[in-house]
Amino acid sequence: MVSETMTTNTMTADPILKVEHLSMRFGGLMAINDFSFEAQRGEITALIGPNGAGKTTVFNCVTGFYKPTMGMITMRQKGGKEFLLERLNDFEITRDAKVARTFQNIRLFSGLTVLENLLVAQHNTLMKASGYTVLGLLGLPGYKKAAAESIEVARHWLEKADLIARADDPAGDLPYGAQRRLEIARAMCTGPEVLCLDEPAAGLNPRESLALNELLRSIRKDSGTSILLIEHDMSVVMEISDHVVVLEYGQKISDGTPDHVKNDPKVIAAYLGVEDDEVEEVIEEIEEIEGTAGGSH
Amino acid sequence: MSNISHSPESAGGNLTARALREGIFAGIVALGLFVLFVGLETTQNIRNELVLNQRWGLLAIFVAVAAVGRFLTVAYIRPWMDARKAAAKAPAEADESFFKRNFSKIAIVALLIYPPLMVMLFGVQGSLKWVDNFGIQILIYVMLAWGLNIVVGLAGLLDLGYVAFYAVGAYSYALLSQYFGLSFWILLPLAGILAAFWGMILGFPVLRLKGDYLAIVTLAFGEIIRLVLINWTEVTRGTFGVSGIPKASVFGIWSFDVSAPNNFAKAFSLPMSSAYYKIFLFYLILALALLTAYVTIRLRRMPIGRAWEALREDEIACRSLGINTVTTKLTAFSIGAMFGGFAGSFFAVRQGFVSPESFVFLESAIILAIVVLGGMGSLVGIAVAAVVMVGGTELLREMTFLKAIFGPDFTPELYRMLIFGLAMVIVMVWKPRGFVGSREPTAFLKERKAVSGSFTKEGHG
Ligand SMILES: Nc1ncnc2c1ncn2[C@@H]1O[C@H](COP(=O)(O)OP(=O)(O)OP(=O)(O)O)[C@@H](O)[C@H]1O
Ligand SMILES: [Mg+2]
């Protein structure tokens, strides 16, 4: 089965993000241990695993918030330009390498309005357009045009995220689900090629969760952005991801299509928390259950 | 609470009775508290003997203040506050909103006609006090607080050493004009640039620190600058300060030197008076302060200004959006410092004398207090806070009638800091977010709605 997925990958192989032998140590704790995976261009890659497996730590290494103890993270842009992310600062990763992210515990600018949140995300474009503030301060038309365009970009994402009605309200005033969508819209306003989402469906109700699926699909389809997704909500993961990587105690235990991963005994064991020798039993049980349910795959 | 169910007159009667009771009770408590503190005083006489003085009069004043104060609070002030609260719930009247909407325009016009008005009211010589002690003094603090507002209110960086940049500006003008004979109009921008430069130099090592650590290091920086000014005696003349700083001229056209041929008063054949110079300085500081406000307003709508505010809200999120937080903080720091430098060179030209004594930590604290009281980030709120705080303390000097109550030795100025502190506590209890707690959004799609202060953050670095 593993070889099967490998061949399908190599046929369309165009990895946008390549993580090789990534390790991250916190004092005595090896949070990530020799972890490698690839995210393909234009795909949604999900990173799953039990609590404390090290998923967020992987994100923090990829986006430069942690400096990995070991390993190499390569980002290959559309034009073929390559960046070694472990050597860049966090803000350079977003600005130059075009990798944007959201946070597990939402980090919005709660005292700024929804619209302003999206304008802050276009900081670098606007900075250039305003001649690093100097020309903008003189009121040159070039900056005015760029400012109007930035509002249009914001409006586009507000419509996509269904937030247009709340555009002029403070971000801190939005309900939880809307804040999650706003954080995604804000990350998209940086014009990323890879979007890293840390548990975007956490705390959403089923209806919001469905809307989120729609949003992510349309992001991939319309803007061609590849998505790297951490998620506990299996309905989201299995529904939208093209590729799933499973992490447990900082190590990769499975890697492949959603169907492949779903049936991987190691994954099942990890999620149910059983010893290795009991895995066979668990699989049998699951097959029984699925059999009675009428076989969903 | 129970009063609500009563009919109005019986409630009123009840209230007065209760107020009387509580007033008497407060008086008794005050008597008990102060009888030994205030009523009796021990002093040493010339022969080093302890003498017990009795001050029953003063004690009576204390008790009376407590009793009457309590009575008035219960009987009048509290019902009035409740009524106001109820009224505030009702929709605001239209004429009030007209005044509020055009507040800044009205204020600017009022400031422009302020000096001529004072001259009309009090005569040329009599206007001096009002233009100089009140007008200029307040405007200097308005400008300083607006400058610091960029650092503290917008970028959320707690800077306790802002007075250092004020000092850099003042000494830049004082020394460069003395040693090189450069004029004020050349040195004004130069002082700003030098202060901004020092802001950068301080900023580089310091801005990696956050919150309390940043505050302490900026505080230390302020003290370092002061100590350098005291100890580098060959250049700065140490504690003696630099005196004889040349006056500014009206763009070199008219001078205010008495002996100069192009003296302002002579040119217009007016009687000699220092009031003209003060009026000129008033307009100068008004222009500088308005420049500060204008630049702040413009910058807030630029990407850099939005980045400052975003930084105040969440630094990590800023970095995740590709914003270089170090340069963003540095620009906030150095632009804030630049306005401090402008204000400093103005200070030097106004006083004609600078010494390290003018740049103690207390000044930083007062400027910061004005920013916090005004409501961090709000220009109007800060201006109001400066008027209340600086104008209020200046007003103390005028309150000679207090001498009649507290005796001829009473100097109200000495109680300045006490009253300043008390006023701060009261305002912070009454309006924890400062006079203007809400923030104006910098862009909007459909309508501009003020953001309530409960959503904005103060910043942690
Ligand atoms: N900054 C840090 N310092 C020390 N230990 C850390 C740090 N960050 C993460 N860890 C540890 O690394 C391990 C992995 O944490 P991580 O947050 O990556 O897990 P996760 O897979 O995202 O879990 P969850 O599903 O709960 O979000 C945990 O044991 C955590 O305590
Ligand atoms: Mg996590």
Side-chain angles (χ1 to χ4, degrees):
Chain A
M1 254 210 212
V2 173
S3 60
E4 192 185 287
T5 53
M6 291 296 269
T7 48
T8 52
N9 274 352
T10 43
M11 266 166 58
T12 57
D14 178 16
I16 186 163
L17 192 71
K18 215 167 15 174
V19 174
E20 290 161 286
H21 308 292
L22 181 72
S23 298
M24 182 80 218
R25 180 194 286 281
F26 296 113
L29 175 80
M30 211 53 178
I32 305 173
N33 196 355
D34 196 23
F35 175 59
S36 306
F37 79 98
E38 285 181 0
Q40 302 299 319
R41 188 180 309 282
E43 287 194 349
I44 296 181
T45 308
L47 189 59
I48 64 170
N51 286 112
K55 305 177 297 290
T56 301
T57 308
V58 170
F59 263 35
N60 283 337
C61 289
V62 169
T63 52
F65 281 83
Y66 293 160
K67 283 271 161 273
T69 317
M70 256 192 301
M72 193 159 104
I73 307 164
T74 321
M75 159 85 194
R76 206 162 152 271
Q77 287 185 346
K78 249 181 245 140
K81 213 168 163 197
E82 290 202 350
F83 293 87
L84 290 176
L85 298 189
E86 77 278 4
R87 297 195 186 161
L88 296 182
N89 277 323
D90 41 20
F91 70 91
E92 290 166 330
I93 289 178
T94 310
R95 190 186 63 189
D96 306 329
K98 301 269 168 232
V99 180
R101 71 168 294 176
T102 66
F103 295 88
Q104 187 166 351
N105 43 347
I106 306 174
R107 285 184 172 275
L108 289 173
F109 306 122
S110 56
L112 308 191
T113 65
V114 170
L115 178 69
E116 284 177 308
N117 266 269
L118 300 190
L119 294 180
V120 171
Q122 301 174 56
H123 178 78
N124 290 313
T125 332
L126 286 172
M127 264 318 245
K128 263 191 218 112
S130 71
Y132 297 90
T133 312
V134 181
L135 300 179
L137 211 52
L138 302 175
L140 293 196
Y143 171 67
K144 280 198 185 123
K145 197 164 142 266
E149 274 167 17
S150 72
I151 293 208
E152 283 317 304
V153 171
R155 187 198 297 276
H156 169 79
W157 285 108
L158 284 174
E159 269 158 11
K160 279 213 145 171
D162 192 21
L163 289 168
I164 197 84
R166 306 290 311 260
D168 297 320
D169 291 331
D173 200 20
L174 296 183
Y176 194 78
Q179 294 201 2
R180 284 254 176 236
R181 290 200 304 278
L182 175 58
E183 210 189 10
I184 296 172
R186 188 181 67 178
M188 284 312 292
C189 280
T190 64
E193 291 197 17
V194 175
L195 175 65
C196 303
L197 303 173
D198 199 341
E199 303 199 12
L204 300 194
N205 63 35
R207 196 164 45 82
E208 289 174 319
S209 197
L210 273 182
L212 177 77
N213 285 358
E214 269 320 299
L215 177 63
L216 296 188
R217 277 215 194 89
S218 86
I219 284 176
R220 178 181 53 168
K221 191 157 71 59
D222 300 343
S223 49
T225 309
S226 319
I227 295 176
L228 195 59
L229 174 78
I230 294 179
E231 194 44 76
H232 281 297
D233 185 340
M234 284 305 145
S235 72
V236 175
V237 173
M238 297 302 161
E239 219 7 56
I240 65 170
S241 47
D242 304 294
H243 181 120
V244 180
V245 179
V246 190
L247 203 60
E248 189 194 16
Y249 296 121
Q251 281 173 314
K252 184 162 83 174
I253 57 170
S254 186
D255 184 346
T257 61
D259 275 337
H260 164 76
V261 165
K262 199 157 50 177
N263 297 310
D264 189 330
K266 275 187 171 167
V267 177
I268 296 163
Y271 267 87
L272 298 179
V274 294
E275 301 296 326
D276 279 355
D277 49 325
E278 294 173 54
V279 167
E280 297 301 319
E281 293 171 35
V282 173
I283 294 171
E284 276 166 30
E285 272 174 42
I286 286 177
E287 269 164 8
E288 258 172 50
I289 294 165
E290 292 203 332
T292 53
S296 61
H297 66 278
Chain B
M1 271 290 155
S2 59
N3 284 344
I4 293 166
S5 55
H6 290 284
S7 65
E9 61 269 33
S10 87
N14 253 347
L15 201 63
T16 325
R18 210 185 67 191
L20 261 177
R21 237 183 334 192
E22 292 200 14
I24 291 168
F25 184 68
I28 293 168
V29 171
L31 181 70
L33 271 178
F34 291 120
V35 66
L36 291 178
F37 269 130
V38 178
L40 298 173
E41 181 195 38
T42 53
T43 45
Q44 273 178 328
N45 65 11
I46 303 164
R47 275 166 289 151
N48 253 0
E49 292 165 338
L50 273 187
V51 208
L52 201 63
N53 289 339
Q54 300 177 350
R55 302 192 293 183
W56 304 127
L58 196 61
L59 178 66
I61 292 175
F62 271 67
V63 172
V65 166
V68 173
R70 183 70 196 169
F71 174 77
L72 289 180
T73 318
V74 175
Y76 300 104
I77 298 177
R78 221 186 272 151
W80 177 73
M81 296 259 273
D82 289 344
R84 233 182 48 132
K85 229 179 246 167
K89 282 197 189 103
E93 309 88 79
D95 49 73
E96 191 202 42
S97 77
F98 168 81
F99 180 72
K100 263 190 184 160
R101 243 183 298 124
N102 297 305
F103 181 78
S104 23
K105 275 179 213 143
I106 294 171
I108 291 171
V109 170
L111 281 171
L112 283 175
I113 58 170
Y114 177 75
L117 195 69
M118 289 300 127
V119 170
M120 263 167 20
L121 285 178
F122 302 101
V124 174
Q125 212 56 35
S127 72
L128 250 172
K129 183 177 86 188
W130 294 100
V131 172
D132 192 27
N133 291 4
F134 284 91
I136 296 180
Q137 185 73 4
I138 291 173
L139 282 173
I140 287 184
Y141 278 97
V142 169
M143 172 158 184
L144 283 171
W146 278 348
L148 183 62
N149 172 50
I150 294 176
V151 185
V152 180
L154 294 185
L157 305 166
L158 188 49
D159 180 358
L160 292 182
Y162 190 64
V163 80
F165 306 122
Y166 190 38
V168 168
Y171 270 85
S172 299
Y173 177 63
L175 296 177
L176 291 176
S177 67
Q178 294 246 309
Y179 289 112
F180 301 104
L182 297 174
S183 86
F184 175 74
W185 294 105
I186 295 171
L187 287 177
L188 177 71
L190 202 62
I193 290 167
L194 280 173
F197 175 71
W198 276 103
M200 291 246 207
I201 291 193
L202 165 70
F204 263 114
V206 154
L207 289 178
R208 294 178 195 284
L209 303 174
K210 283 200 171 56
D212 311 345
Y213 301 99
L214 176 71
I216 289 170
V217 175
T218 51
L219 179 110
F221 179 76
E223 287 301 288
I224 289 170
I225 293 261
R226 196 170 63 86
L227 290 176
V228 167
L229 293 178
I230 290 177
N231 291 306
W232 196 11
T233 38
E234 305 92 81
V235 177
T236 63
R237 286 173 221 163
T239 43
F240 295 115
V242 185
S243 52
I245 299 170
K247 287 178 174 172
S249 63
V250 189
F251 305 108
I253 304 169
W254 295 295
S255 154
F256 290 98
D257 283 330
V258 185
S259 53
N262 58 344
N263 181 288
F264 183 83
K266 274 187 211 151
F268 291 87
S269 49
L270 294 163
M272 277 291 173
S273 166
S274 59
Y276 305 122
Y277 185 51
K278 296 298 180 194
I279 291 172
F280 164 67
L281 287 181
F282 178 89
Y283 283 117
L284 181 60
I285 186 67
L286 181 62
L288 285 173
L290 290 181
L291 175 78
T292 314
Y294 177 74
V295 171
T296 308
I297 291 168
R298 284 302 294 268
L299 282 179
R300 269 194 76 215
R301 297 193 190 136
M302 303 242 113
I304 187 73
R306 286 204 198 103
W308 289 339
E309 290 200 80
L311 201 63
R312 177 192 69 206
E313 298 287 318
D314 193 324
E315 181 175 349
I316 290 178
C318 273
R319 285 195 266 142
S320 85
L321 297 174
I323 296 174
N324 184 342
T325 50
V326 173
T327 52
T328 306
K329 285 181 185 178
L330 266 183
T331 49
F333 227 70
S334 50
I335 290 178
M338 181 179 76
F339 289 117
F342 287 153
S345 65
F346 175 83
F347 174 77
V349 99
R350 175 211 183 193
Q351 303 290 70
F353 167 74
V354 289
S355 80
E357 250 166 74
S358 308
F359 309 107
V360 289
F361 168 65
L362 187 65
E363 290 295 312
S364 290
I366 289 176
I367 301 166
L368 184 66
I370 291 172
V371 174
V372 173
L373 274 182
M376 307 229 273
S378 156
L379 295 182
V380 171
I382 288 170
V384 171
V387 170
V388 171
M389 286 293 144
V390 183
T393 52
E394 284 296 320
L395 217 55
L396 274 182
R397 282 186 226 281
E398 308 297 314
M399 295 192 172
T400 39
F401 67 88
L402 289 176
K403 279 196 176 60
I405 302 175
F406 294 101
D409 307 334
F410 185 79
T411 34
E413 296 99 284
L414 296 183
Y415 290 83
R416 204 176 110 219
M417 275 342 262
L418 184 75
I419 293 172
F420 200 93
L422 208 63
M424 263 203 85
V425 171
I426 291 169
V427 173
M428 285 286 110
V429 169
W430 168 56
K431 284 206 151 189
R433 288 268 162 179
F435 289 142
V436 180
S438 59
R439 86 172 262 284
E440 279 287 304
T442 60
F444 62 98
L445 220 49
K446 289 190 201 76
E447 56 169 327
R448 189 184 290 277
K449 296 185 223 169
V451 176
S452 143
S454 54
F455 295 113
T456 51
K457 301 205 171 80
E458 294 92 9
H460 299 284

